[in-house]
Amino acid sequence: MKLDVILNVKGREVATIRPDAPVQELLAELQERHVGALVVSADGNRVDGMVSERDVVRDLAAQGPQVMQSPVSALMSRVVQCAPPSASVEDIMALMTERRVRHIPVVDEDGGMMGLVSIGDVVKNRLGELEGERDALIHYVTNGG
């Protein structure tokens, strides 16, 4: 299955935050949206970075509470793994495992955001595929082929 199909099902909205936004605003957005990461984007269309709850926790541990006044750009990941909508779920599973990331922005050939795929989306899709295969096997066995 291709990422474009997953985006058609889950939706294409991408939660973003500006690089100059304070970390306090980031935490409010994460809590309000019930997500673990946001795409950092100055224009709402291009990927400038990613920032997650883990980034905040690491910086809090290293620098203390003054991190809350820092801009998101101070703790965001600047190198972001992105994928085209034509990428397969298998490719994304391998990329997430290899790069140890949980969120992959889906971008068009010009770098514009088309959606965001999380590890949860990938797992949900894979479980659906496995259930379909199981049902087909049960039908095959119980109906004699």
Side-chain angles (χ1 to χ4, degrees), residues 23-24 27 31 39 48 54-55 74 81 104 107-108 114 121 140:
V23 171
Q24 283 182 312
L27 292 176
Q31 193 273 333
V39 174
D48 297 322
R54 285 181 171 187
D55 296 321
Q81 299 298 312
I104 304 282
V107 297
D108 62 22
M114 300 179 68
D121 299 325
Y140 178 80

Short mmCIF file of all heavy atoms in Angstrom, two decimals, residues 23-24 27 31 39 48 54-55 74 81 104 107-108 114 121 140:
data_model
loop_
_atom_site.label_atom_id
_atom_site.label_comp_id
_atom_site.label_asym_id
_atom_site.label_seq_id
_atom_site.Cartn_x
_atom_site.Cartn_y
_atom_site.Cartn_z
N VAL A 23 8.59 27.46 23.39
CA VAL A 23 8.34 26.06 23.76
C VAL A 23 7.02 25.94 24.52
O VAL A 23 6.31 24.94 24.36
CB VAL A 23 9.53 25.49 24.55
CG1 VAL A 23 9.20 24.13 25.13
CG2 VAL A 23 10.76 25.41 23.66
N GLN A 24 6.65 26.93 25.30
CA GLN A 24 5.36 26.89 26.00
C GLN A 24 4.21 26.74 25.01
O GLN A 24 3.27 25.99 25.26
CB GLN A 24 5.16 28.16 26.83
CG GLN A 24 5.93 28.18 28.11
CD GLN A 24 5.65 29.44 28.91
OE1 GLN A 24 5.70 30.54 28.38
NE2 GLN A 24 5.37 29.26 30.18
N LEU A 27 4.11 23.12 23.70
CA LEU A 27 3.49 22.18 24.64
C LEU A 27 1.97 22.33 24.65
O LEU A 27 1.25 21.33 24.72
CB LEU A 27 4.07 22.37 26.04
CG LEU A 27 5.54 21.97 26.18
CD1 LEU A 27 6.04 22.30 27.57
CD2 LEU A 27 5.75 20.51 25.85
N GLN A 31 -0.61 19.28 23.55
CA GLN A 31 -1.68 18.86 24.46
C GLN A 31 -3.05 19.04 23.81
O GLN A 31 -3.89 18.14 23.87
CB GLN A 31 -1.57 19.67 25.76
CG GLN A 31 -2.41 19.13 26.90
CD GLN A 31 -3.83 19.66 26.89
OE1 GLN A 31 -4.11 20.74 26.40
NE2 GLN A 31 -4.74 18.89 27.43
N VAL A 39 5.28 19.33 13.02
CA VAL A 39 6.19 19.76 11.98
C VAL A 39 6.48 21.24 12.22
O VAL A 39 5.56 22.02 12.46
CB VAL A 39 5.59 19.56 10.57
CG1 VAL A 39 6.50 20.15 9.50
CG2 VAL A 39 5.34 18.08 10.30
N ASP A 48 10.58 22.67 7.88
CA ASP A 48 11.82 23.27 8.37
C ASP A 48 12.44 22.40 9.46
O ASP A 48 13.64 22.51 9.73
CB ASP A 48 11.57 24.66 8.94
CG ASP A 48 11.06 25.64 7.88
OD1 ASP A 48 11.54 25.57 6.73
OD2 ASP A 48 10.18 26.46 8.21
N ARG A 54 9.74 14.37 23.26
CA ARG A 54 11.06 13.89 23.67
C ARG A 54 12.10 15.01 23.60
O ARG A 54 12.98 15.10 24.45
CB ARG A 54 11.52 12.74 22.77
CG ARG A 54 10.85 11.45 23.05
CD ARG A 54 11.40 10.39 22.13
NE ARG A 54 10.93 9.09 22.51
CZ ARG A 54 11.35 7.97 21.98
NH1 ARG A 54 12.25 8.00 21.02
NH2 ARG A 54 10.88 6.82 22.37
N ASP A 55 12.02 15.84 22.56
CA ASP A 55 12.95 16.96 22.43
C ASP A 55 12.84 17.89 23.64
O ASP A 55 13.84 18.35 24.18
CB ASP A 55 12.69 17.75 21.15
CG ASP A 55 12.93 16.92 19.89
OD1 ASP A 55 13.90 16.14 19.87
OD2 ASP A 55 12.15 17.08 18.93
N ALA A 74 15.29 26.17 18.72
CA ALA A 74 16.44 25.81 19.55
C ALA A 74 16.49 24.33 19.87
O ALA A 74 17.55 23.80 20.20
CB ALA A 74 16.42 26.63 20.85
N GLN A 81 13.41 13.27 7.94
CA GLN A 81 13.18 12.27 6.92
C GLN A 81 11.79 12.48 6.35
O GLN A 81 10.81 12.42 7.08
CB GLN A 81 13.28 10.86 7.52
CG GLN A 81 14.62 10.56 8.12
CD GLN A 81 15.73 10.61 7.10
OE1 GLN A 81 15.64 10.04 6.02
NE2 GLN A 81 16.79 11.31 7.42
N ILE A 104 6.80 10.79 9.76
CA ILE A 104 7.38 11.07 8.45
C ILE A 104 6.46 12.03 7.70
O ILE A 104 5.32 11.65 7.35
CB ILE A 104 7.55 9.78 7.60
CG1 ILE A 104 8.38 8.74 8.34
CG2 ILE A 104 8.11 10.11 6.23
CD1 ILE A 104 9.86 8.95 8.33
N VAL A 107 5.70 14.61 1.38
CA VAL A 107 5.87 15.83 0.60
C VAL A 107 5.79 15.54 -0.89
O VAL A 107 6.12 14.45 -1.34
CB VAL A 107 7.21 16.53 0.93
CG1 VAL A 107 7.26 16.97 2.39
CG2 VAL A 107 8.39 15.64 0.62
N ASP A 108 5.34 16.55 -1.65
CA ASP A 108 5.30 16.40 -3.10
C ASP A 108 6.68 16.66 -3.68
O ASP A 108 7.64 16.94 -2.94
CB ASP A 108 4.22 17.31 -3.72
CG ASP A 108 4.48 18.78 -3.49
OD1 ASP A 108 5.64 19.20 -3.24
OD2 ASP A 108 3.49 19.56 -3.55
N MET A 114 2.07 17.28 2.11
CA MET A 114 0.81 16.67 1.71
C MET A 114 0.14 15.94 2.86
O MET A 114 -1.02 15.57 2.77
CB MET A 114 1.06 15.68 0.57
CG MET A 114 1.66 16.29 -0.67
SD MET A 114 1.96 15.05 -1.93
CE MET A 114 0.28 14.60 -2.35
N ASP A 121 -0.04 5.14 12.44
CA ASP A 121 -0.72 4.96 11.15
C ASP A 121 -0.20 3.73 10.44
O ASP A 121 -0.96 2.96 9.85
CB ASP A 121 -0.51 6.18 10.25
CG ASP A 121 -1.05 7.46 10.84
OD1 ASP A 121 -2.09 7.42 11.53
OD2 ASP A 121 -0.43 8.52 10.59
N TYR A 140 -10.50 -19.85 3.12
CA TYR A 140 -9.93 -20.87 2.27
C TYR A 140 -9.98 -22.23 2.95
O TYR A 140 -10.39 -23.24 2.36
CB TYR A 140 -8.49 -20.50 1.91
CG TYR A 140 -7.79 -21.52 1.06
CD1 TYR A 140 -8.01 -21.57 -0.30
CD2 TYR A 140 -6.90 -22.44 1.62
CE1 TYR A 140 -7.37 -22.50 -1.10
CE2 TYR A 140 -6.26 -23.38 0.84
CZ TYR A 140 -6.50 -23.40 -0.51
OH TYR A 140 -5.86 -24.33 -1.30
#
